[in-house]
Amino acid sequence: MRKISVFGATGSVGESTFDLLMRQGGPEAFRTVALTGGRNAKRLAEQALALRAEIAVIADEAALPQLREALAGSGIVAAGGSAALAEAADRPADWVMSSIVGAAGLVPSLAALRHGGTLALANKESLVTAGPLLMQTARNHGARILPVDSEHSAAFQSLRGEKIETVETVTITASGGAFRDWPVERLATATVAEASVHPNWDMGQRITIDSASMFNKALEIIETREFFGIAPERIEVLVHPESLVHALVAFRDGCMIGHLGAPDMRHAIGYALNWPERAHLPVARLNLAEIGRLTFASPDPARYPALRIAREVMAAGGLTGAVFNAAKEAALDAFIAGHIRFTDMAPVVEETLARMMAMEGIGKPATSLDIVLQTDRAARRVANETMTEMCKV
Ligand code: NDP
């Protein structure tokens, strides 16, 4: 029986993963090693009972008594805090879903690879903050990474059986987010509630806001570079409001292979769960005659400055990906808390990058998890100082 773990089981990707695991036989088909959540102990306990997990870990230790009570008598170990999370990540599994949001997902991603299993990677921050380290760890341990971000799963599927050196470009699509049709001048007034509504995808709040700013797409450009090892100038972004074409790969013979599907994460998750087979998945089928037309446009650089910043990050290399992600997370926290405006996020990230790049060692590649985590902490500190100065927090 396949041994599986899900990190971030209570989130949007985690719930879709849980749904597929249950539909594909639940505890009769999978031996669940670890399930983890951030704060939602009630839901984590329900999932752990349904899948008969060995251990359930809640990151927020304040929620541990609730988890313990809900799992009492079940034989499932209940644990809390970051050390318990790392311990759960160290338990070998054949298939690990990494779907914690943010840089916190890096620890379980790396641990899964060290055990030589298959890492289903939704946590794009792992590749953005420590791409070369992650890929090298996978190579060293004979582990496999399967992308779960829909665009990367789409490009991966379009590349099946192809040689990467025959690729001219990989295009990832973007819906354009909540403010695609707003006048650019209005963006400064955008509220958290307005930014938290996605036109097509049902996702966690943070990635939804990142879609409105296209910081999500900026992370995905870097993720594309790290995962496929393709040069930055060969990676393109197209605004595609229908969110039905997820990626397009152009080859040197002039052909383009694209991937279409309903905007439902269970497709990419199900593909990673069943790879190299294709299983029946409970996702909507597309009726192209009814859809009628698909539209594409180049992203407006004034509306989406994050895309330009991502290219500067790739040009700088080294630890700048970790700085970029941490600064973005700090700026997003501040926007959600009502401390800065939507349009302050990009300047905060740029200024943090400029200050951090003046520091020694930032241009050097990440050689260990510790260095990445140290850089992450330093960048958050600098981002917060930057916001105090720039935005009068
Ligand atoms: P959610 O916010 O919905 O879920 C995040 C999960 O991580 C939850 O289980 C949450 O726990 C847990 N969590 C949050 N903070 C911490 C922490 N500090 N330590 C440990 N666990 C934590 O996020 P999404 O599911 O939307 O996204 C997850 C990842 O997948 C992100 O990296 C995102 O970019 C990526 N992704 C998401 C897609 C989507 O459709 N949602 C699409 C493609 C990629 P709890 O809820 O219990 O607090």
Side-chain angles (χ1 to χ4, degrees):
M1 206 186 270
R2 202 149 47 128
K3 287 179 13 176
I4 62 114
S5 287
V6 182
F7 291 84
T10 51
S12 166
V13 172
E15 283 287 7
S16 294
T17 307
F18 174 75
D19 176 68
L20 289 178
L21 291 170
M22 292 306 288
R23 285 171 190 265
Q24 289 193 205
E28 311 307 325
F30 302 98
R31 195 173 131 202
T32 301
V33 177
L35 294 182
T36 80
R39 293 206 170 96
N40 192 346
K42 180 174 177 286
R43 184 62 188 143
L44 179 63
E46 287 166 1
Q47 293 178 333
L49 289 168
L51 280 169
R52 294 186 220 135
E54 286 171 17
I55 182 168
V57 181
I58 196 83
D60 180 2
E61 285 188 75
L64 180 56
Q66 194 193 349
L67 182 67
R68 277 212 179 105
E69 194 186 326
L71 293 177
S74 67
I76 300 169
V77 178
S82 51
L85 208 103
E87 194 272 322
D90 263 333
R91 295 183 176 215
D94 305 311
W95 189 89
V96 175
M97 166 56 78
S98 175
S99 57
I100 288 177
V101 65
L106 178 57
V107 171
S109 295
L110 270 173
L113 294 174
R114 278 198 298 270
H115 290 295
T118 295
L119 173 66
L121 187 61
N123 177 267
K124 61 194 82 183
E125 296 88 345
S126 293
L127 277 171
V128 172
T129 57
L133 184 62
L134 216 71
M135 301 307 280
Q136 189 57 48
T137 308
R139 279 191 292 274
N140 289 350
H141 297 273
R144 181 178 297 283
I145 305 178
L146 294 175
V148 170
D149 224 343
S150 55
E151 296 77 3
H152 304 76
S153 173
F156 183 74
Q157 293 180 52
S158 304
L159 279 161
R160 209 164 159 173
E162 304 289 348
K163 293 195 176 85
I164 196 79
E165 57 274 19
T166 64
V167 171
E168 281 185 351
T169 58
V170 172
T171 300
I172 54 175
T173 59
S175 69
F179 307 136
R180 184 185 60 220
D181 301 320
W182 280 33
V184 174
E185 316 76 65
R186 201 180 143 200
L187 294 178
T189 69
T191 65
V192 173
E194 287 166 334
S196 302
V197 181
H198 197 281
N200 304 328
W201 293 90
D202 180 13
M203 309 188 286
Q205 185 192 35
R206 298 180 73 86
I207 184 174
T208 302
I209 299 174
D210 282 349
S211 296
S213 62
M214 275 222 204
F215 267 111
N216 179 49
K217 210 51 54 182
L219 297 177
E220 287 179 8
I221 298 175
I222 303 173
E223 187 185 7
T224 305
R225 158 146 190 72
E226 299 297 344
F227 184 77
F228 296 105
I230 187 166
E233 60 275 16
R234 291 178 183 270
I235 305 167
E236 294 177 358
V237 174
L238 271 180
V239 176
H240 169 50
E242 296 86 2
S243 292
L244 298 176
V245 177
H246 305 301
L248 294 155
V249 180
F251 294 89
R252 64 185 179 196
D253 61 356
C255 135
M256 263 185 164
I257 297 183
H259 175 287
L260 287 84
D264 183 332
M265 279 306 291
R266 290 177 304 177
H267 177 83
I269 298 166
Y271 184 77
L273 182 61
N274 295 291
W275 183 92
E277 305 299 328
R278 283 191 187 273
H280 179 87
L281 294 176
V283 300
R285 273 48 178 167
L286 297 186
N287 181 334
L288 290 177
E290 228 167 62
I291 292 160
R293 71 170 61 204
L294 299 172
T295 52
F296 302 93
S298 292
D300 172 3
R303 185 182 301 277
Y304 305 117
L307 300 182
R308 172 181 50 76
I309 305 174
R311 295 202 182 270
E312 290 164 7
V313 167
M314 288 189 290
L319 287 158
T320 45
V323 175
F324 176 58
N325 181 66
K328 189 280 293 177
E329 287 191 22
L332 178 59
D333 287 340
F335 172 63
I336 291 173
H339 294 154
I340 65 171
R341 293 173 304 176
F342 181 78
T343 45
D344 290 330
M345 288 192 284
V348 165
V349 171
E350 272 199 291
E351 180 59 22
T352 306
L353 276 163
R355 292 184 188 189
M356 289 290 294
M357 275 153 83
M359 293 181 190
E360 208 185 323
I362 295 297
K364 294 197 184 129
T367 48
S368 72
L369 175 62
D370 278 352
I371 290 174
V372 177
L373 297 179
Q374 265 171 32
T375 307
D376 177 273
R377 282 191 295 272
R380 281 170 205 264
R381 215 170 32 244
V382 171
N384 286 323
E385 285 163 14
T386 304
M387 284 188 274
T388 311
E389 291 166 30
M390 285 175 66
C391 310
K392 309 275 183 290
V393 177

